């Protein structure tokens, strides 16, 4: 299907996908290669939750990303790899080289006895072998589960235990600015409780000393010596599991969202090409880590499915200085740059000369993802990076949705500051009010739901279909509930206002407040805690902890340090609290429920209109909490 090239074409596509969704997706799917065509485009709905796309068809994601392009684009650069160290020159890998590397990794996995349906966990830095590894997993039909390298040993082991991975692929260490993250050491700690792991494959990156356990740990470079570079892709049924990706929810335990083969592939392909509108020679750079869904869909699969050139960067935005992103854009002549508001805000806070030293004249399109972008950051991004001539696609989506759901199409539909604007073809967002009724007025505010299945949606929570149903499909019967609130203007443009559940978005990282509370509560002096988000200049939301200790700590600063350490141990440094307030109680209803509304208001510093507290079990506590408020 030809990409959408004008506003009128967008309207036509949207209408066609509304009137005849199966006909629409049938046409899109024909662009890709299938071993066997599908029999039915879509069956199932949000009530039976047995949704299947392209049933009867067989295909392979890795061969669609690579082999499909060999004839015409074998010599084209597929991946440009930029190391943490600015002195190391960027590494260009062509489609044909990438295909061979993926075959070799597939052969390594296969020689280790990994078969279709086995789970491979990846706990790595941003090295090409991570991208090669997930593509190799899909090539042999293994399910990949990437765990972000910033998670702790405990988080890693919890995820491995949940998905019962057989193989772990990791690095000796990962570079992050001037630090080395001891990934293998963390993995060793995690694996003390992971009997499902039979083998650990270690890719050497930092050359720091690591312990290799006999009979379990093997170096990738040793395994490669006996591997082949020809490895045919395994035909996968359309609904065969593709990957599991863990994300936080409103309860303590992260959920493993399962995406399946064909629907995800078709959706990644179609959304990438239409939102970003790349030309053949363009260069796409998504700054997300492959440990997050953005790194799956728009660093790896979307660009490769479309035969485009994608950039992968190992390091952080501020190493060796705050100009690194802009220097890389100039050096590689990046045309499409896709990042998170938190990175924009952090760089906006540094000296503008880091930006003005660079030309940035290769840029054509800018993107934003992961959290609401405030108007100030939007406008800085637009003025200083896009020089007022690049559209900014504010793309709203989630781990659960697999790909972009609401977004402008670059150069095709209108971009409005801080608005995700219109849904993509095939997506039917609606707003519902607190009683679950669809709001029919165009101009409205409510909870954001999606009305109909789409190919890229997650099919279940790994091992817990009931939780999948309860989390997303029971709040509002017959609808997928996103957990986000949104406003819609008179022209139907959506603006996402943020989470309406107990999930917070800290520097674009999605964290459950319950998860953080569980970590805080592991401290022996803590009886109970409550975590809420509050507006934070750089991170979007900061983490505010209200913590009950039976005795006021003699040395509160020491206890705070210990609490930080507890969170780092249980979750990882990304979940470290910003503010910790010791309290003697928490405001509770007579039935014992914590009144988070009050805590949120305190944390936000909005002490007006605290509401009627007389129904609280302990109304006096509110005064104490307000007096001790931190900022
Ligand atoms: O609250 C929304 C926010 O990020 C959540 C999804 O987080 P995650 O599954 O980690 O995926 C992030 C990358 C897709 C959403 O529920 N979010 C994501 N994109 C936007 C956004 N909020 C506002 N505007 C966006 N463009």
């Amino acid at each position: 299907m030809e990409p959408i090239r004008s506003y009128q074409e967008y309207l036509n596509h949207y209408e066609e996908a509304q009137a005849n969704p199966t006909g629409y997706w049938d046409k899109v799917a024909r662009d890709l290669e299938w071993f066997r065509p599908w029999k039915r485009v879509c069956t199932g709905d949000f009530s039976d939750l047995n949704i299947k796309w392209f049933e009867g068809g067989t295909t392979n994601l890795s061969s669609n990303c690579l082999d499909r392009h060999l004839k015409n684009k074998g010599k084209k650069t597929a991946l440009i790899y930029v190391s943490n160290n600015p002195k190391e020159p960027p590494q260009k890998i062509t489609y044909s080289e990438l295909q061979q590397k993926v075959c070799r990794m597939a052969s390594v996995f296969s020689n280790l006895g990994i078969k279709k349906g086995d789970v491979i966990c990846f706990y790595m830095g941003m090295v090409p072998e991570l991208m090669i590894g997930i593509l190799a997993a899909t090539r042999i039909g293994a399910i990949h589960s990437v765990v972000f390298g910033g998670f702790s040993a405990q988080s890693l082991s919890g995820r491995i235990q949940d998905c019962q991975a057989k193989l772990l692929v990791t690095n000796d260490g990962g570079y992050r600015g001037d630090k080395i993250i001891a990934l293998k050491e963390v993995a060793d700690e995690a694996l003390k409780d992971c009997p499902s792991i039979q083998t650990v494959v270690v890719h050497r990156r930092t050359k720091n000393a690591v312990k290799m356990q006999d009979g379990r740990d093997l170096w990738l470079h040793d395994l490669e010596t006996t591997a082949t570079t020809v490895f045919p892709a395994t035909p996968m049924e359309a609904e065969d599991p593709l990957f599991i990706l863990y994300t936080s929810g409103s309860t303590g335990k992260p959920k493993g969202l399962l995406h399946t083969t064909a629907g995800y592939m078709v959706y990644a392909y179609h959304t990438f090409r239409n939102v970003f509108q790349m030309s053949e020679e363009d260069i796409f750079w998504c700054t997300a880590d492959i440990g997050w869904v953005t790194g799956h869909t728009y660093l790896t699969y979307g660009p490769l499915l479309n035969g485009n050139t994608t950039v992968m960067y190992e390091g952080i935005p501020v190493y060796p200085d705050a100009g690194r992103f802009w220097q890389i854009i100039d050096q590689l002549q990046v045309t499409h740059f896709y990042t998170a508001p938190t990175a924009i805000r952090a760089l906006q806070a540094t000296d503008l000369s880091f930006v003005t030293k660079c030309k940035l004249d290769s840029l054509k399109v800018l993107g934003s993802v992961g959290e609401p972008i405030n108007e100030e950051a939007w406008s800085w991004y637009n003025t200083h990076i896009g020089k007022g001539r690049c559209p900014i696609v504010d793309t709203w989506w989630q781990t659960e949705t697999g790909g972009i759901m609401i977004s402008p199409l670059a150069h095709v539909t209108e971009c409005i500051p801080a608005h995700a604007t219109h849904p993509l073809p095939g997506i039917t967002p609606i707003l519902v009010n607190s009683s679950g009724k669809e709001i029919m007025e165009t101009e409205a505010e409510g909870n954001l739901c999606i009305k109909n299945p789409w190919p890229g949606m997650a099919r279940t929570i790994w091992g817990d279909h009931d939780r999948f149903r309860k989390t997303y499909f029971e709040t509002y019967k017959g609808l997928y509930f996103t957990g986000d609130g949104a406003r819609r203007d008179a022209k139907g443009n959506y603006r996402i206002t943020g989470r309406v559940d107990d999930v917070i978005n800290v520097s674009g990282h999605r964290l459950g407040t319950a998860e953080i509370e569980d970590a805080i509560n592991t401290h022996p002096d803590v009886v109970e805690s409550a975590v809420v988000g509050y507006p934070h200049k750089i991170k979007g939301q900061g983490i505010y902890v209200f913590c009950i200790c039976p005795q006021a700590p003699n040395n509160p600063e020491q206890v705070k340090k210990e609490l930080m350490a507890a969170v780092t141990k249980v979750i990882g440094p990304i979940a470290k609290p910003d503010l910790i307030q010791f309290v003697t109680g928490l405001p509770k209803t007579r039935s014992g429920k914590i009144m988070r509304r009050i805590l949120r208001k305190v944390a936000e510093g909005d002490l007006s209109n605290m509401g009627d507290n007389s129904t609280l079990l302990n109304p006096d506590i509110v005064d104490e909490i307000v007096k001790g408020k931190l900022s």
Side-chain angles (χ1 to χ4, degrees):
M1 186 192 267
E2 286 302 308
I4 304 167
R5 292 292 191 216
S6 67
Y7 182 60
Q8 188 53 49
E9 278 180 30
Y10 161 73
L11 293 177
N12 298 345
H13 273 245
Y14 195 81
E15 239 169 65
E16 185 186 339
Q18 286 302 110
N20 178 10
T22 54
Y24 184 79
W25 290 111
D26 183 280
K27 273 203 245 168
V28 177
R30 281 168 200 272
D31 286 358
L32 297 163
E33 263 175 23
W34 301 76
F35 295 107
R36 193 178 65 210
W38 56 94
K39 291 206 178 79
R40 279 167 299 276
V41 175
C42 180
T43 55
D45 55 38
F46 289 164
S47 305
D48 69 15
L49 275 190
N50 186 19
I51 293 162
K52 294 189 172 127
W53 284 88
F54 308 108
E55 209 185 342
T58 56
T59 185
N60 183 284
L61 178 56
S62 148
S63 73
N64 269 288
C65 285
L66 302 167
D67 308 39
R68 194 164 62 88
H69 305 306
L70 292 186
K71 199 163 140 240
N72 299 322
K73 298 187 184 179
K75 293 205 179 89
K76 176 171 176 170
T77 303
L79 171 65
I80 309 179
Y81 179 66
V82 182
S83 144
N84 178 64
N85 178 354
K87 296 205 178 91
E88 252 178 56
Q91 189 186 335
K92 289 191 176 175
I93 301 175
T94 65
Y95 269 93
S96 111
E97 288 162 348
L98 188 60
Q99 195 262 3
Q100 288 190 10
K101 285 174 191 283
V102 168
C103 283
R104 191 170 58 185
M105 188 81 89
S107 162
V108 165
F109 292 160
S110 168
N111 291 344
L112 290 170
I114 298 298
K115 297 198 173 54
K116 181 175 163 176
D118 289 341
V119 180
I120 307 179
C121 176
F122 293 84
Y123 183 67
M124 303 181 81
M126 284 286 279
V127 287
E129 285 69 16
L130 173 53
M131 183 187 282
I132 293 165
I134 62 173
L135 283 159
T138 69
R139 195 164 188 90
I140 64 175
I143 305 164
H144 60 74
S145 186
V146 185
V147 177
F148 172 59
F151 277 119
S152 68
Q154 221 167 303
S155 293
L156 175 61
S157 79
R159 285 158 170 80
I160 292 175
Q161 286 162 10
D162 188 77
C163 68
Q164 290 290 296
K166 275 195 178 164
L167 173 67
L168 174 70
V169 187
T170 189
N171 286 117
D172 46 358
Y175 289 116
R176 238 186 111 68
D178 55 7
K179 287 200 203 97
I180 288 183
I181 311 291
L183 293 165
K184 174 66 165 65
E185 203 180 301
V186 180
D188 286 339
E189 178 65 29
L191 292 186
K192 287 181 183 157
D193 296 321
C194 298
S196 66
I197 293 285
Q198 295 166 356
T199 314
V200 179
V201 171
V202 187
H203 165 248
R204 183 180 275 157
R205 173 64 183 144
T206 50
K207 303 201 175 93
N208 53 315
V210 294
K211 283 197 204 107
M212 297 293 277
Q213 184 175 308
D214 258 2
R216 188 194 72 182
D217 301 352
L218 301 162
W219 287 106
L220 178 62
H221 53 259
D222 289 337
L223 294 166
E224 281 176 346
T225 57
T226 52
T228 75
T229 52
V230 178
F231 198 99
T234 306
M236 301 296 290
E237 295 292 335
E239 283 297 332
D240 275 340
L242 180 67
F243 68 81
I244 301 166
L245 191 57
Y246 286 86
T247 189
S248 297
S250 30
T251 60
K253 190 172 172 260
K255 6 178 211 193
L257 272 313
L258 176 74
H259 285 278
T260 57
T261 303
Y264 174 84
M265 173 176 82
V266 170
Y267 200 66
Y269 164 76
H270 191 60
T271 52
F272 179 80
R273 71 193 323 226
N274 285 304
V275 170
F276 294 105
Q277 300 280 329
M278 301 264 295
S279 302
E280 198 49 54
E281 67 289 353
D282 284 347
I283 295 177
F284 186 80
W285 180 18
C286 163
T287 65
D289 191 287
I290 295 187
W292 310 115
V293 74
T294 311
H296 283 54
T297 310
Y298 298 111
L299 196 162
T300 307
Y301 295 123
L304 297 179
L305 282 165
N306 283 283
N308 288 121
T309 302
T310 186
V311 175
M312 177 178 189
Y313 171 50
E314 181 178 33
I316 53 174
V318 290
Y319 180 79
D321 61 42
R324 190 72 196 276
F325 274 4
W326 323 129
Q327 291 148 21
I328 294 173
I329 290 173
D330 274 6
Q331 184 186 17
L332 304 181
Q333 293 289 288
V334 169
T335 56
H336 291 61
F337 180 66
Y338 190 32
T339 196
T342 187
I344 300 169
R345 286 190 298 263
L347 295 172
Q348 181 185 359
T350 66
D351 200 303
L352 193 60
S353 65
F354 286 115
V355 178
T356 51
K357 266 188 262 174
C358 295
K359 284 203 178 110
L360 303 178
D361 55 354
S362 56
L363 286 172
K364 295 181 184 173
V365 173
L366 300 176
S368 171
V369 60
E371 51 178 317
I373 179 165
N374 47 314
E375 288 187 32
E376 208 190 337
W378 194 98
S379 146
W380 185 85
Y381 198 30
N382 180 43
T383 309
H384 296 289
I385 308 305
K387 316 282 183 202
R389 52 174 180 77
C390 302
I392 299 178
V393 290
D394 179 356
T395 62
W396 174 82
W397 60 296
Q398 310 176 295
T399 306
E400 291 84 346
T401 69
I404 297 168
M405 302 285 279
I406 306 181
S407 168
L409 310 183
H411 296 294
V412 170
T413 66
E414 194 190 2
C415 297
I416 304 168
H419 284 70
T421 69
H422 286 290
L424 265 52
I427 304 305
T428 326
I430 60 167
L431 296 177
V432 296
N433 62 22
S434 50
S435 46
K437 277 240 157 57
E438 178 172 354
I439 307 173
M440 302 313 286
E441 292 83 22
T442 311
E443 205 172 347
E445 178 158 8
N447 287 347
L448 181 67
C449 292
I450 311 289
K451 223 169 176 172
N452 305 112
W454 66 100
M457 65 178 282
R459 301 294 192 265
T460 191
I461 291 174
W462 186 250
D464 200 346
H465 200 55
D466 200 43
R467 186 175 177 196
F468 185 62
R469 175 189 306 282
K470 286 194 181 122
T471 310
Y472 304 106
F473 301 94
E474 273 188 0
T475 318
Y476 304 114
K477 280 270 173 274
L479 299 173
Y480 166 77
F481 176 41
T482 64
D484 280 324
R487 277 202 287 274
R488 190 168 53 206
D489 71 12
K491 289 184 177 164
N493 289 296
Y494 285 87
R495 176 179 192 148
I496 312 300
T497 48
R499 303 288 308 194
V500 292
D501 54 6
D502 291 326
V503 169
I504 51 180
N505 201 324
V506 181
S507 300
H509 302 317
R510 179 168 157 184
L511 297 165
T513 52
E515 226 179 323
I516 307 171
E517 287 161 9
D518 287 353
I520 299 271
N521 297 349
T522 60
H523 191 286
D525 294 352
V526 173
V527 175
E528 197 179 6
S529 62
V531 168
V532 295
Y534 71 99
H536 187 287
K537 251 186 122 165
I538 305 282
K539 297 175 165 188
Q541 279 188 295
I543 301 174
Y544 196 122
V545 182
F546 296 90
C547 185
I548 310 181
C549 297
Q551 268 124 28
N554 289 334
N555 185 349
E557 289 315 308
Q558 176 58 26
V559 178
K560 282 185 190 177
K561 268 195 202 143
E562 289 165 12
L563 292 175
M564 300 276 188
V567 173
T568 306
K569 179 161 180 258
V570 177
I571 305 173
I574 54 173
K576 264 196 210 167
D578 296 280
L579 298 169
I580 301 175
Q581 180 179 349
F582 295 107
V583 293
T584 60
L586 293 166
K588 288 194 176 165
T589 62
R590 286 182 205 278
S591 59
K593 227 176 119 218
I594 299 174
M595 286 292 280
R596 284 170 190 279
R597 178 183 57 78
I598 294 176
L599 297 177
R600 260 184 234 121
K601 280 191 146 255
V602 175
E604 285 166 11
D606 173 11
L607 304 179
S608 63
N609 188 17
M610 293 291 279
D612 175 14
N613 295 332
S614 61
T615 55
L616 290 180
L617 192 64
N618 49 352
D620 298 344
I621 202 70
V622 178
D623 279 346
E624 178 204 309
I625 290 178
V626 168
K627 279 198 194 110
K629 181 194 162 357
L630 305 169
S631 54

